[in-house]
């Protein structure tokens, strides 16, 4: 079993942990790579998310040989047999512990920003990492969680070595893993994207409220309300439809493709899914009806991007993050606008069957995390998207929807697009400081 990235692994792992919802869990990610996985688990369980900070206590003469572990709150776990083997006396222990305590304090300050750790007393601690090779760190984390008062300890990972499975069974009350491949040699080989997790991402994920309930199904949604959008120094007015669910954490601006408009049934179907998830949407025409008759303007990506940029500034009045969803030529306009210098860019971009090649020279300037969605049967556009993804310097992902053509008219294809777009937006809103 391979995973696209840590987000994909976390979602799949969360499906196996649903039985813990009523168990008063606290989800603890091992920094840094374990935190994006743990975030998905915490969201699914509606449980608080925290890091579990563990420092190895190494034999002074051979630092790689651990004789114990240190956790926050003065929790210490030591192996007397290894201390004897390594000739570690009490003075050595005290010196090593002082150094590691300093590192623990620095990590805690960096990741939590002064917030206290989530108490574990009497609760179920779900220790999560992105994978296990030897199991030494995971074992230490389980010991620390138990020493901090956890009533029950669950160790959960997407992938582990078979050897670690046997050694860890006695460390946790429950061990959950999705794969223990026989040919295991390293965690990263089981991920298509195993890029390094940065401290900033860990900090942003820990700030998010993972205990919040998703919007109630059937909750009243305000809109769509017609809006007039002044552009080009107020010489042109564009028509739009704005939908704002109560408490929407962001608004997604739709940039339509050539020959389309805010009435596009495909984009409206995607917008409805986003609205049900609690996101606001603005579907608007990038061109007036008269301009739309001019094919030169339909393919003038600079003009379309400029209009999108102006509407973006108009939407800043909502005081929430903004995202872009672009289709066909509209995707080129969205990426062009996202690369605009000197402006606050979108929090995330999704391209559906896009033509990013029409903005190829601007792609290196895009800073927003970008998701490309392309039909598996749309071969020419798929090739263009692959080349565009190589130009991007920001976080990006290309997902091929099997069996889908350019317009995603096949049964279930558009549903897949909507679900993937919704996940991309909500995940990256969670990591926006």
């Amino acid at each position: 079993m391979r995973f696209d990235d840590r987000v994909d692994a976390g979602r799949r792992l969360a499906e196996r942990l649903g039985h813990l919802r009523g168990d008063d869990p606290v989800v603890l990610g091992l920094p840094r790579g374990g935190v994006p996985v743990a975030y998905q688990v915490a969201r699914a369980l509606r449980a608080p998310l925290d890091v579990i900070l563990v420092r190895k206590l190494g034999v002074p003469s051979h630092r790689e040989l651990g004789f114990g572990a240190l956790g926050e709150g003065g929790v210490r776990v030591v192996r007397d047999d290894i201390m004897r083997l390594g000739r570690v006396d009490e003075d050595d222990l005290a010196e090593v512990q002082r150094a590691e305590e300093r590192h623990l304090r620095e990590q805690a300050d960096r990741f939590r920003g002064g917030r206290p750790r989530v108490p574990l007393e009497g609760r179920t601690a779900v220790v999560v990492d992105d994978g296990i090779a030897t199991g030494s760190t995971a074992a230490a984390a389980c010991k620390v969680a138990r020493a901090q008062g956890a009533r029950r300890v669950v160790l959960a990972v997407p992938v582990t070595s078979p050897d670690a499975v046997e050694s860890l069974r006695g460390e946790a009350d429950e061990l959950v893993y999705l794969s223990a491949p026989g040919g295991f040699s390293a965690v990263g080989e089981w991920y298509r994207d195993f890029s390094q997790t940065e401290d900033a991402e860990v900090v942003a994920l820990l700030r998010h409220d993972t205990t919040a309930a998703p919007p109630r199904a059937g909750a009243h949604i305000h809109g769509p309300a017609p809006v007039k959008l002044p552009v080009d120094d107020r010489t042109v007015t564009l028509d739009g439809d704005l939908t704002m669910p109560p408490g929407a954490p962001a608004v997604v601006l739709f940039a339509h493709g050539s020959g389309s408009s805010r009435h596009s049934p495909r984009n409206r179907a995607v917008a409805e899914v986003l609205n049900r998830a609690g996101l606001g949407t603005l579907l608007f025409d990038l061109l007036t009806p008269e301009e739309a008759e001019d094919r030169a303007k339909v393919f003038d990506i600079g003009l379309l991007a400029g209009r999108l940029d102006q509407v973006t500034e108009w939407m800043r009045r909502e005081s929430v993050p903004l995202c872009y969803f672009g289709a066909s030529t509209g995707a080129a306009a969205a990426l062009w606008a996202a690369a605009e210098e000197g402006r606050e860019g979108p929090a995330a971009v999704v391209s559906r069957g896009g033509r990013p090649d029409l903005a190829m020279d601007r792609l290196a300037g895009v800073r927003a995390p970008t998701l490309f969605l392309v039909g598996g049967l749309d071969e020419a556009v798929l090739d263009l998207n692959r080349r565009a993804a190589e130009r991007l310097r920001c976080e990006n992902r290309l997902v091929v929807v099997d069996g889908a053509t350019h317009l995603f008219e096949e049964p279930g294809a558009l549903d897949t697009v909507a679900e993937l777009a919704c996940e991309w937006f909500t995940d990256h809103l969670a990591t926006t400081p």
Side-chain angles (χ1 to χ4, degrees):
M1 177 184 292
R2 291 186 184 273
F3 307 98
D4 290 333
D5 50 24
R6 292 180 178 90
V7 173
D8 175 46
R11 291 195 186 110
R12 293 205 231 175
L13 185 61
E15 294 175 0
R16 290 281 300 275
L17 296 169
H19 63 285
L20 299 175
R21 284 193 182 91
D23 217 15
D24 194 23
V26 177
V27 179
L28 305 169
L30 277 159
R32 291 174 296 201
V35 176
V37 182
Y39 171 76
Q40 298 299 328
V41 173
R43 278 184 60 192
L45 299 181
R46 288 173 54 187
L49 173 68
D50 201 354
V51 284
I52 184 160
L53 301 177
V54 178
R55 297 289 301 184
K56 180 174 68 176
L57 299 174
V59 173
S61 60
H62 185 32
R63 291 291 185 181
E64 292 303 311
L65 178 60
F67 65 86
L70 193 68
E72 292 178 276
V75 172
R76 188 182 74 188
V77 179
V78 297
R79 289 276 303 273
D80 292 332
D81 55 338
I82 299 180
M83 284 185 66
R84 287 193 299 271
L85 180 66
R87 298 182 179 179
V88 179
D89 59 25
E90 290 300 321
D91 290 338
D92 292 329
L93 173 58
E95 182 180 351
V96 172
Q97 181 168 334
R98 278 194 300 270
E100 298 304 335
E101 282 175 340
R102 183 177 68 256
H103 288 303
L104 277 176
R105 288 192 297 269
E106 291 171 354
Q107 280 189 313
D109 289 342
R110 184 164 67 250
F111 292 139
R112 297 200 188 97
R115 296 186 305 275
R117 66 178 177 84
V118 178
L120 301 183
E121 290 81 1
R123 306 184 72 171
T124 294
V126 186
V127 177
V128 177
D129 205 355
D130 53 12
I132 295 174
T134 65
S136 57
T137 302
C142 291
K143 287 184 171 71
V144 167
R146 205 179 298 280
Q148 288 177 349
R151 173 180 56 82
R152 187 164 177 258
V153 176
V154 177
L155 176 59
V157 293
V159 61
T160 177
S161 68
D163 291 342
V165 170
E166 297 306 316
S167 66
L168 288 168
R169 289 198 184 278
E171 302 293 347
D173 298 295
E174 183 179 356
L175 174 60
V176 178
Y177 58 92
L178 303 181
S179 179
F184 185 98
S185 61
V187 172
E189 68 180 344
W190 302 100
Y191 286 80
R192 294 182 179 89
D193 177 3
F194 198 63
S195 52
Q196 181 173 308
T197 301
E198 302 296 337
D199 285 352
E201 181 178 355
V202 174
V203 171
L205 290 173
L206 292 175
R207 286 176 179 165
H208 193 70
D209 182 11
T210 52
T211 66
R216 178 173 52 85
H220 178 65
I221 296 175
H222 300 300
V227 292
K228 297 292 184 180
L229 307 167
V231 296
D232 299 353
D233 294 326
R234 297 183 175 273
T235 61
V236 175
T237 300
L238 305 176
D239 291 320
D241 294 321
L242 177 63
T243 302
M244 288 294 288
V251 178
V252 179
L253 280 60
F254 280 70
H256 305 292
S258 57
S260 189
S261 72
R262 71 186 191 281
H263 300 299
S264 162
R266 286 175 290 279
N267 282 348
R268 287 194 170 274
V270 173
E272 288 176 4
V273 172
L274 300 182
N275 295 152
R276 288 197 296 271
L279 296 171
T281 54
L282 174 62
L283 291 89
F284 69 100
D285 298 328
L286 288 165
L287 301 172
T288 66
E290 295 75 22
E291 290 173 332
E293 298 297 321
D294 184 345
R295 298 301 290 174
K297 288 187 176 179
V298 168
F299 287 93
D300 187 341
I301 305 304
L303 170 65
L304 303 180
R307 295 273 176 90
L308 176 57
D309 184 60
Q310 293 173 69
V311 171
T312 298
E313 293 307 306
W314 186 86
M315 281 297 299
R316 296 289 179 201
R317 67 183 66 187
E318 296 295 335
S319 299
V320 295
L322 303 176
C323 303
Y324 291 164
F325 183 98
S328 190
T329 52
L335 290 164
W336 186 304
E340 192 69 37
E341 294 184 3
R343 299 256 193 177
E344 181 184 352
V349 177
V350 172
S351 163
R352 172 181 66 82
R355 288 290 309 278
D357 56 298
L358 298 176
M360 195 69 81
D361 292 340
R362 308 272 298 198
L363 295 181
V366 176
R367 299 178 300 278
T370 299
L371 173 65
F372 296 104
L373 300 174
V374 187
L377 301 180
D378 194 8
E379 295 180 0
V381 171
L382 177 56
D383 182 60
L384 294 172
N385 277 255
R386 283 178 174 144
R387 281 189 266 168
E390 293 173 355
R391 290 283 190 96
L392 289 177
R393 298 174 182 172
C394 59
E395 177 189 352
N396 67 88
R397 181 180 174 196
L398 189 152
V399 176
V400 178
V401 180
D402 291 337
T405 52
H406 184 63
L407 296 179
F408 297 89
E409 295 175 305
E410 294 71 26
L414 196 60
D415 293 336
T416 299
V417 166
E419 292 169 4
L420 290 169
C422 187
E423 290 174 357
W424 188 260
F425 290 136
T426 54
D427 287 345
H428 288 88
L429 287 169
T431 60
T432 301

